[in-house]
Amino acid sequence: MNKFFTLFAFLFLFITSAQAQTAPTMSASSTGTGLSLAPARVELEMKPGAETTVVVNLDYHSPGGTEQPTRIVATLNDWDITKDGRVEFYKALTRPNSASSWLVYSPAETTVTPGNIHSIRVTVSVPQDATPGDHLTSLIIEQRPDTIKFNQSARQVIVRYRMATVFYIKVSGLTRRGTLANLQAESSPKGIVITPTLKNEGNSVIRPAASVKIADSTGKIVAEVPGIEPLPVLANSETSQPLLIKNVLPPGSYSVKYKIDFQDGSKATEGIVDLIVKDFSQEKRPQISSTAITIQKP
């Protein structure tokens, strides 16, 4: 796998919007100067053979009015979310579900000036033989290296930026099947670390909602976290992203209930795991303890 090349400053945001729309912007800024890219995410439900055009806007603003025009270049890259929740970018057409060959955009290179919004038109053409499910790509906007000026006689902080609009091209015949494959709860001096393993056996992304309750040996709730928004789980993938609850509980036996709604049309799933909290003040090194998971659907 060819990972996306090294960057100095990269700002990435997943926006929880529905269909293709202008969501809150993704921006890069330094010393008062800002560049904003909107939307940060585009989702298009399309049929094989269909074609549509969307616009991605780059806003270059300088509050002090001292910035000069800069040259930017646009490219396409594949992308993915790793099991531990990291967003990875790859060379175009190297991922099995790549949609990079389906996009044509203009302009590929332009000069942007402060105070103006610069539009990039992106045309998406789905092949007739496209398979059902999500196909991913991203439009990367970055500054041309030759526009960065170095002053050899002065100290400088040079910031290079890359911003991305990620595309989900969702070809008809979508399925979403989320499962809670595993659940772990670990006690540490910083709090409780809960790690659910979420699996999506469908061909389209799911965006689950979750909550956590921790009860003591009598059944009393001693900690609760509602309204958790885990990372999206892409098609045919799984994630294991730890959640830290900073409450430091007294030593003892507890149970952890992790409830998750995959919003895939099925009922919410609840995982239950036992937790033993030890007295870390008496230990030289942190210890953890957890037991096997019991999963049930209420």
Side-chain angles (χ1 to χ4, degrees):
M1 296 184 293
N2 296 314
K3 292 186 178 180
F4 191 62
F5 39 83
T6 306
L7 52 84
F8 292 102
F10 181 76
L11 298 160
F12 188 86
L13 179 62
F14 269 103
I15 307 300
T16 54
S17 55
Q19 296 301 319
Q21 56 185 296
T22 301
T25 61
M26 176 194 307
S27 63
S29 62
S30 177
T31 62
T33 301
L35 292 106
S36 302
L37 192 63
R41 187 184 85 207
V42 174
E43 292 194 36
L44 298 169
E45 293 193 16
M46 302 178 68
K47 296 180 179 180
E51 181 177 289
T52 191
T53 297
V54 297
V55 175
V56 176
N57 290 314
L58 177 66
D59 181 12
Y60 181 20
H61 47 277
S62 174
T66 59
E67 294 301 317
Q68 299 299 314
T70 186
R71 197 77 176 165
I72 61 99
V73 61
T75 56
L76 294 174
N77 279 263
D78 295 347
W79 68 276
D80 201 354
I81 300 176
T82 64
K83 184 176 180 179
D84 60 356
R86 290 177 295 108
V87 178
E88 294 277 1
F89 288 82
Y90 305 85
K91 185 178 179 180
L93 304 177
T94 59
R95 305 297 290 174
N97 62 342
S98 173
S100 293
S101 63
W102 302 359
L103 271 64
V104 176
Y105 56 94
S106 179
E109 187 173 337
T110 189
T111 298
V112 295
T113 55
N116 293 315
I117 295 177
H118 304 267
S119 297
I120 300 175
R121 292 177 59 85
V122 182
T123 299
V124 182
S125 302
V126 179
Q128 289 285 357
D129 60 351
T131 57
D134 292 357
H135 299 260
L136 309 179
T137 187
S138 63
L139 181 69
I140 305 293
I141 306 298
E142 62 182 319
Q143 189 176 13
R144 281 183 58 95
D146 56 9
T147 65
I148 301 175
K149 300 183 183 299
F150 295 87
N151 186 341
Q152 301 295 337
S153 62
R155 292 184 176 182
Q156 301 177 82
V157 175
I158 304 299
V159 177
R160 285 188 60 187
Y161 58 84
R162 291 192 179 104
M163 298 177 289
T165 292
V166 297
F167 283 77
Y168 295 78
I169 313 302
K170 310 168 84 65
V171 180
S172 300
L174 303 177
T175 60
R176 301 175 180 88
R177 289 191 290 271
T179 57
L180 177 58
N182 193 22
L183 182 66
Q184 293 182 341
E186 302 177 346
S187 161
S188 78
K190 294 182 179 180
I192 307 302
V193 179
I194 299 171
T195 306
T197 298
L198 310 180
K199 183 178 293 186
N200 181 7
E201 297 176 337
N203 63 19
S204 185
V205 64
I206 53 178
R207 293 186 171 84
S211 62
V212 169
K213 292 182 179 180
I214 301 178
D216 62 18
S217 57
T218 68
K220 179 183 177 181
I221 302 300
V222 294
E224 183 174 3
V225 183
I228 301 170
E229 294 184 4
L231 281 175
V233 187
L234 299 181
N236 299 304
S237 68
E238 65 178 52
T239 62
S240 296
Q241 186 184 24
L243 168 70
L244 175 64
I245 300 179
K246 293 185 178 181
N247 302 56
V248 179
L249 300 175
S253 299
Y254 299 86
S255 63
V256 176
K257 295 183 180 181
Y258 182 86
K259 188 174 183 179
I260 184 162
D261 182 359
F262 288 101
Q263 304 189 69
D264 58 357
S266 63
K267 293 182 179 180
T269 298
E270 187 175 82
I272 304 174
V273 64
D274 293 332
L275 172 70
I276 304 299
V277 176
K278 293 188 176 182
D279 185 356
F280 289 104
S281 64
Q282 305 299 320
E283 302 286 346
K284 294 182 179 179
R285 291 183 296 179
Q287 298 184 14
I288 60 176
S289 177
S290 63
T291 62
I293 178 176
T294 302
I295 298 176
Q296 56 188 19
K297 287 192 176 182

